Amino acid sequence: MKQSIIRILILCMPLFGVAQQTIISGKVRDNATKEALPYVTVTIQDNASKTIITGITDHNGFFNLEANLKGNVTILLSYTGYQNYTRTLEIASNKSKIELGTIDLIADAVQLKAVEITSEKSNISLKLDKKVFEVGKDVLSQNGSAHDVLNGVPSVAVSPAGAISLRGNSNVLVLINGRQSGLTQNNALDQIAADQIERIEVITNPSSRYDAAGSAGIINIILKKNKKSGFSGQVRLMAGSPNDSRLNPSINYKSDKINIFSNFSIRSSDYEGLYTTNQSTNTNGTANFMDRVQNEDRHDDGKLLYLGADYYINEHQTITAAFLKNGTHDNDKTDLFYNYRSNPNSSTPDSLLTRHGKSLEKRDYSQFEFNYTRNFKQKAKKWTIDVQYDWWNSDKKWDLSTQRSLPDPLIYPSIRTKSIGNSRDFLAKSDFIQPIDSVSILEFGIKTEIRKVSSNYLAEEQQDDSWVIYQNIDNDLNYNETITGAYTQFSDKMKAFSYMLGLRAEFTDITIKDLNNTYNDQKNYNKLFPTANLSYKLNASTLQLNYSKRIRRPSLYALYPFNEVTDLNAQYIGNPDLNPSYTDAFEMAFLKTWKTFTLNPSVYYQYEKNYIQDFTFRQDDIFLTMPINIDYEIRSGIELSTLYNPLKGLQINAEMNFYHFKQKGNYMERNLDYSSNNLTGRLSTQIKLPSKFSFQGRYNFRGAKRDAQTTNKALQSIDFGLSKLLLKDKATIVFDVTNAFNLRQIKNTTTGSDYFISNNIIPNAARYRLSFVYRFNLTDPKAIRQAKDTNRN
């Protein structure tokens, strides 16, 4: 019906003097490998060589340009490393659509070196529902892990403990190749080599095809695909101080029917932390003071295996199967020193205590994933099925010994804790993309995820020759979660204007029950999540307006009611009564690219109902911190990212995020209403030096941050690195320093009606690393016809 109406309108256009629009479409691929070429520039010019319209091909090599065309026009295709393609067309007066079919570009041997040069620089682009950060060969993007790459992505930050945040909000959903993965669990991202990452997609307002989880948005890490025929891969060695030893080989094989990919990682790392606390309390009019110093010596051993294969059944069907195994063994030592005084000016303490802790933890994570992809003759039409099953087991033990040296020596009973956990997670989803016409697309899909977690925690105290339960901490918690979702969305394009409207429904059923029946709760969240993504493109500029509704489900860690007892003074506990929060997010973004300068400002507004934040209170002279719900948080801000290349070999990237938030709520008769301004920034410079040397430096800044209870002082850090290409560019050696001069120190104060706590936290000391990477390809790429792209995207 729709196509019939369009035809009638086109026939009637000449009668009303309306200019007829002509659609020119086609697909671009490599002449030799037959592989689709994304980001090819497509230009249409008139007889006077004046540009009428310009566009680029998508990830599948397709382009679709619509303009008022008449007479003879010229189609120009240009792509770095390939010969330019030119074709002249005569536009008939009654021709509304021209299909050019498949266009093969021929590689230009003379320009091949230019490919390496341009690909060294990272760049930013705006898509309809995401911001794409292409990872180049930046010095700080070659060494280290995925965490180091993320720390260079605009809007993204990674804490020393591995917590990822987006625009200062830690509630972000991290995906690998568009899917949930064990690579994002238990700090496994630290085991992915930085040079294995092709690009990072920052999705602050995801469309309905994505899960609604993550109030801050989604970070999608796209790993590099094997594009070389035959055997290829690389070996990476790294050593650091404090100890950071890594071996990371990856070996791949590709033919016309199969693509085998693998990634291995062996890691041995040490982390040195220093935590100091100054505390004052008032109990019944009596003041007491306590100073605490905590030294941490953490040692982690990790082994990771990721092995899989794509099998091309035929031209339209592909299956992928992969297996992930991630095992870690942590050996941590903690020494805590407590100085208690009743007189703050006294140099003699009233009491001195020392606690020594030793922890051993083994974690084992396994995941199997399967994908079936069916492409059709109609371009962009696609059907996928994904099945994923993962399981993990953990076993953590703490041995704690405590003794007093003042006022008189005393050895306290030993304490030991044991935490055993396991999880089973099954996920199945199917997505279908159906083009309506050359520019309109309808998508829909379904998903279900079933997760079962068991956690057994026991604390014991030694009495004579036996062990007895300590503080009644002995329980087994079972957590069951089922999330079922379905979505549909429609996208269309009218000249320079594009839009995508979607609706997602998610039904969540959660059951929390413990062995002693202390906690027995069932929660159901049934919600609709609308999305809207609008985009307007004009030459080298893009303007976007996006909206999405998101949910933040409490994690198991936030719900778990039991706590570690390592610290005598402070403990973190979960809150089984915690409810999800819901966010309405609006954003307007602009991208403008000049020859040497890229400007990308954004303004955003977020309203989060039932906002989740930590709350600290005193109970039996122990400070307990747990997550709670308050009424809401309103956050609005402006973000600015720039990329400047004033000279060949010099790149400067600067970004800034300024936002205001307002919080409202109360808990335990404490008014938590608060509002504040926050500022974060980052400046990065990369310089290409003679003899194939490159240098990069990065400065990170986070301004003071406050809420009703806690004030965090400004935080800053400096990272820099130096790299050199060797062995005819097949190898790279990199030296880098993170947290130079130990500047990254977290300083905060927490206040209450009868207490004051000041902390200075240095979770990781400055780290110096040296790495060597060697890349190889054992087969001449002309000997075997290169297969299609894998479907792991």
Side-chain angles (χ1 to χ4, degrees):
M1 180 67 181
K2 177 181 176 182
Q3 292 179 346
S4 299
I5 296 175
I6 292 175
R7 292 191 185 100
I8 294 173
L9 291 175
I10 291 174
L11 292 173
C12 294
M13 281 179 182
L15 300 177
F16 298 97
V18 179
Q20 177 178 310
Q21 299 292 309
T22 302
I23 299 174
I24 297 182
S25 59
K27 180 181 180 180
V28 184
R29 66 182 185 181
D30 183 286
N31 179 65
T33 67
K34 309 305 180 186
E35 184 181 46
L37 295 177
Y39 309 119
V40 177
T41 301
V42 184
T43 304
I44 301 178
Q45 296 180 343
D46 61 15
N47 281 331
S49 297
K50 182 180 178 181
T51 298
I52 302 173
I53 188 172
T54 299
I56 60 173
T57 58
D58 61 17
H59 287 292
N60 297 314
F62 291 108
F63 66 90
N64 197 89
L65 301 180
E66 182 178 3
N68 179 21
L69 305 177
K70 57 184 178 179
N72 292 329
V73 298
T74 302
I75 310 295
L76 302 174
L77 275 67
S78 60
Y79 193 53
T80 304
Y82 289 83
Q83 298 177 14
N84 290 337
Y85 174 90
T86 303
R87 181 174 176 180
T88 301
L89 296 175
E90 183 175 356
I91 308 299
S93 58
N94 61 346
K95 197 74 171 178
S96 62
K97 183 177 179 180
I98 299 176
E99 174 60 57
L100 299 181
T102 300
I103 301 173
D104 291 332
L105 294 188
I106 301 173
D108 189 346
V110 178
Q111 295 184 10
L112 286 179
K113 293 184 178 180
V115 177
E116 298 179 1
I117 296 174
T118 56
S119 65
E120 290 180 358
K121 296 179 181 179
S122 301
N123 60 79
I124 304 168
S125 60
L126 277 181
K127 305 302 179 185
L128 187 57
D129 60 344
K130 71 188 87 173
K131 181 189 296 183
V132 181
F133 180 82
E134 301 284 344
V135 179
K137 295 183 180 179
D138 302 352
V139 178
L140 295 177
S141 291
Q142 294 181 65
N143 213 355
S145 65
H147 285 164
D148 299 282
V149 177
L150 289 170
N151 258 328
V153 176
S155 312
V156 181
V158 182
S159 75
I164 300 172
S165 62
L166 178 58
R167 290 176 173 168
N169 189 338
S170 60
N171 185 235
V172 57
L173 178 63
V174 181
L175 305 175
I176 301 292
N177 295 327
R179 303 178 180 90
Q180 299 180 41
S181 172
L183 292 171
T184 66
Q185 305 295 323
N186 296 322
N187 217 17
L189 285 176
D190 195 42
Q191 292 181 244
I192 300 178
D195 49 16
Q196 295 293 317
I197 299 174
E198 178 177 309
R199 66 182 185 274
I200 307 289
E201 298 177 347
V202 179
I203 315 172
T204 51
N205 275 276
S207 65
S208 63
R209 73 164 65 96
Y210 297 99
D211 290 350
S215 58
I218 294 174
I219 296 174
N220 187 21
I221 301 173
I222 305 297
L223 301 180
K224 290 180 179 178
K225 299 176 182 178
N226 178 30
K227 294 185 178 181
K228 294 183 178 180
S229 301
F231 285 98
S232 63
Q234 68 175 34
V235 178
R236 179 171 169 267
L237 295 168
M238 188 173 74
S241 177
N243 172 48
D244 195 358
S245 304
R246 303 178 189 236
L247 171 63
N248 185 208
S250 63
I251 303 173
N252 309 293
Y253 173 78
K254 195 169 191 179
S255 69
D256 59 346
K257 292 294 291 184
I258 193 169
N259 172 45
I260 300 174
F261 50 89
S262 66
N263 187 18
F264 308 90
S265 176
I266 301 175
R267 172 177 62 93
S268 175
S269 303
D270 290 325
Y271 303 91
E272 299 174 357
L274 176 62
Y275 307 75
T276 59
T277 299
N278 303 110
Q279 171 187 301
S280 65
T281 60
N282 191 309
T283 305
N284 299 324
T286 301
N288 293 282
F289 303 88
M290 187 274 293
D291 299 328
R292 183 193 65 183
V293 177
Q294 177 179 343
N295 291 308
E296 280 190 350
D297 182 5
R298 310 188 305 276
H299 177 79
D300 297 348
D301 291 322
K303 296 179 181 178
L304 183 143
L305 164 67
Y306 186 52
L307 178 66
D310 304 296
Y311 178 69
Y312 307 101
I313 301 173
N314 52 42
E315 183 181 357
H316 298 291
Q317 299 181 80
T318 308
I319 59 173
T320 297
F323 175 73
L324 168 69
K325 182 79 170 182
N326 181 27
T328 60
H329 187 186
D330 301 343
N331 187 342
D332 301 341
K333 296 179 181 179
T334 300
D335 290 301
L336 298 105
F337 304 93
Y338 300 87
N339 182 329
Y340 295 92
R341 293 170 290 115
S342 57
N343 184 351
N345 299 318
S346 174
S347 59
T348 303
D350 299 331
S351 178
L352 284 178
L353 272 76
T354 301
R355 168 167 280 189
H356 175 73
K358 184 176 181 179
S359 169
L360 295 175
E361 181 177 11
K362 294 181 179 179
R363 295 189 300 268
D364 187 271
Y365 186 97
S366 301
Q367 175 181 291
F368 173 77
E369 61 183 63
F370 172 84
N371 170 271
Y372 168 79
T373 297
R374 173 74 161 91
N375 292 302
F376 298 84
K377 291 183 179 181
Q378 184 181 9
K379 69 174 185 178
K381 186 176 181 179
K382 188 177 182 181
W383 178 38
T384 61
I385 298 175
D386 288 280
V387 177
Q388 182 175 301
Y389 179 70
D390 58 70
W391 62 99
W392 61 258
N393 300 280
S394 67
D395 187 346
K396 184 175 184 179
K397 299 177 181 179
W398 269 103
D399 291 317
L400 302 169
S401 61
T402 310
Q403 62 182 14
R404 187 179 69 194
S405 57
L406 286 177
D408 50 83
L410 177 64
I411 297 178
Y412 293 89
S414 297
I415 297 174
R416 68 184 185 186
T417 67
K418 185 176 183 179
S419 177
I420 299 176
N422 61 76
S423 173
R424 302 294 181 265
D425 194 344
F426 174 79
L427 181 150
K429 59 178 292 191
S430 180
D431 300 273
F432 190 80
I433 302 175
Q434 174 62 62
I436 304 301
D437 53 29
S438 59
V439 293
S440 304
I441 296 177
L442 177 66
E443 300 180 46
F444 49 90
I446 56 174
K447 174 188 173 183
T448 185
E449 182 174 7
I450 303 172
R451 184 185 182 205
K452 296 184 177 181
V453 183
S454 175
S455 183
N456 189 345
Y457 187 55
L458 171 67
E460 296 177 301
E461 182 181 66
Q462 188 175 23
Q463 292 185 2
D464 298 325
D465 294 331
S466 61
W467 292 88
V468 298
I469 297 175
Y470 177 71
Q471 293 184 356
N472 295 319
I473 301 176
D474 179 18
N475 214 338
D476 190 352
L477 186 76
N478 292 311
Y479 175 89
N480 297 326
E481 177 184 75
T482 300
I483 302 175
T484 303
Y487 78 93
T488 182
Q489 68 182 22
F490 176 77
S491 60
D492 201 355
K493 181 179 180 181
M494 296 176 288
K495 297 183 180 179
F497 177 71
S498 303
Y499 67 89
M500 182 160 54
L501 305 176
L503 181 65
R504 186 179 188 90
E506 289 191 351
F507 309 93
T508 306
D509 181 53
I510 295 176
T511 301
I512 306 171
K513 185 178 181 179
D514 71 327
L515 187 64
N516 297 335
N517 207 30
T518 306
Y519 303 96
N520 191 344
D521 197 3
Q522 185 168 0
K523 301 176 183 290
N524 296 292
Y525 316 137
N526 302 324
K527 203 75 174 179
L528 295 176
F529 301 91
T531 63
N533 304 92
L534 314 177
S535 177
Y536 183 81
K537 291 186 177 182
L538 181 63
N539 296 327
S541 302
T542 303
L543 179 66
Q544 288 186 343
L545 181 63
N546 301 317
Y547 163 77
S548 66
K549 191 175 187 67
R550 314 288 297 163
I551 184 175
R552 177 182 183 181
R553 297 182 181 90
S555 65
L556 177 62
Y557 177 73
L559 296 169
Y560 192 65
F562 307 110
N563 49 273
E564 293 281 3
V565 295
T566 310
D567 190 353
L568 285 169
N569 184 69
Q571 298 173 3
Y572 187 92
I573 59 176
N575 180 5
D577 295 325
L578 203 61
N579 291 314
S581 65
Y582 296 93
T583 300
D584 290 285
F586 302 84
E587 179 179 2
M588 184 171 66
F590 176 75
L591 179 70
K592 173 67 175 178
T593 302
W594 290 271
K595 186 175 182 180
T596 60
F597 186 70
T598 299
L599 177 67
N600 181 209
S602 304
V603 293
Y604 59 91
Y605 173 90
Q606 296 175 343
Y607 176 85
E608 187 166 353
K609 186 179 180 181
N610 291 336
Y611 180 74
I612 299 175
Q613 69 175 29
D614 287 341
F615 179 80
T616 301
F617 60 98
R618 288 180 69 193
Q619 180 176 295
D620 300 328
D621 293 328
I622 296 179
F623 285 92
L624 299 178
T625 300
M626 72 175 187
I628 64 168
N629 293 107
I630 61 175
D631 294 344
Y632 65 81
E633 181 193 76
I634 297 176
R635 181 178 298 203
S636 57
I638 181 171
E639 185 178 59
L640 178 64
S641 178
T642 62
L643 190 65
Y644 183 42
N645 301 103
L647 301 171
K648 184 179 180 181
L650 174 62
Q651 176 178 291
I652 301 172
N653 173 247
E655 62 173 286
M656 177 274 297
N657 178 29
F658 175 81
Y659 64 92
H660 171 83
F661 75 83
K662 178 182 178 182
Q663 298 172 344
K664 182 176 179 57
N666 60 80
Y667 194 79
M668 290 186 176
E669 300 181 353
R670 173 75 185 268
N671 186 355
L672 300 177
D673 294 359
Y674 201 80
S675 62
S676 178
N677 298 319
N678 292 273
L679 174 68
T680 62
R682 182 183 289 143
L683 178 64
S684 177
T685 301
Q686 179 165 338
I687 305 172
K688 291 190 64 177
L689 302 171
S691 302
K692 297 186 177 181
F693 278 97
S694 294
F695 172 83
Q696 185 178 10
R698 185 166 63 210
Y699 173 73
N700 306 282
F701 174 79
R702 189 206 69 194
K705 187 177 181 181
R706 302 176 178 87
D707 61 26
Q709 281 192 302
T710 304
T711 298
N712 289 278
K713 292 186 177 181
L715 180 67
Q716 58 183 335
S717 64
I718 294 177
D719 309 317
F720 60 85
L722 181 69
S723 72
K724 177 175 172 56
L725 293 173
L726 303 169
L727 304 178
K728 298 181 179 179
D729 298 349
K730 291 184 177 180
T732 306
I733 187 168
V734 181
F735 171 75
D736 78 320
V737 181
T738 59
N739 191 25
F741 316 113
N742 282 318
L743 292 178
R744 189 185 289 128
Q745 299 188 24
I746 303 170
K747 300 179 180 181
N748 59 50
T749 58
T750 301
T751 58
S753 58
D754 56 356
Y755 65 85
F756 176 87
I757 306 173
S758 176
N759 294 302
N760 186 52
I761 303 171
I762 308 176
N764 291 330
R767 188 174 295 276
Y768 307 85
R769 299 179 297 194
L770 181 67
S771 71
F772 176 79
V773 180
Y774 182 78
R775 297 168 288 273
F776 59 88
N777 182 24
L778 301 181
T779 306
D780 185 351
K782 295 181 180 179
I784 300 178
R785 183 179 69 85
Q786 186 171 354
K788 307 176 186 68
D789 272 348
T790 68
N791 60 337
R792 292 181 289 129
N793 186 354

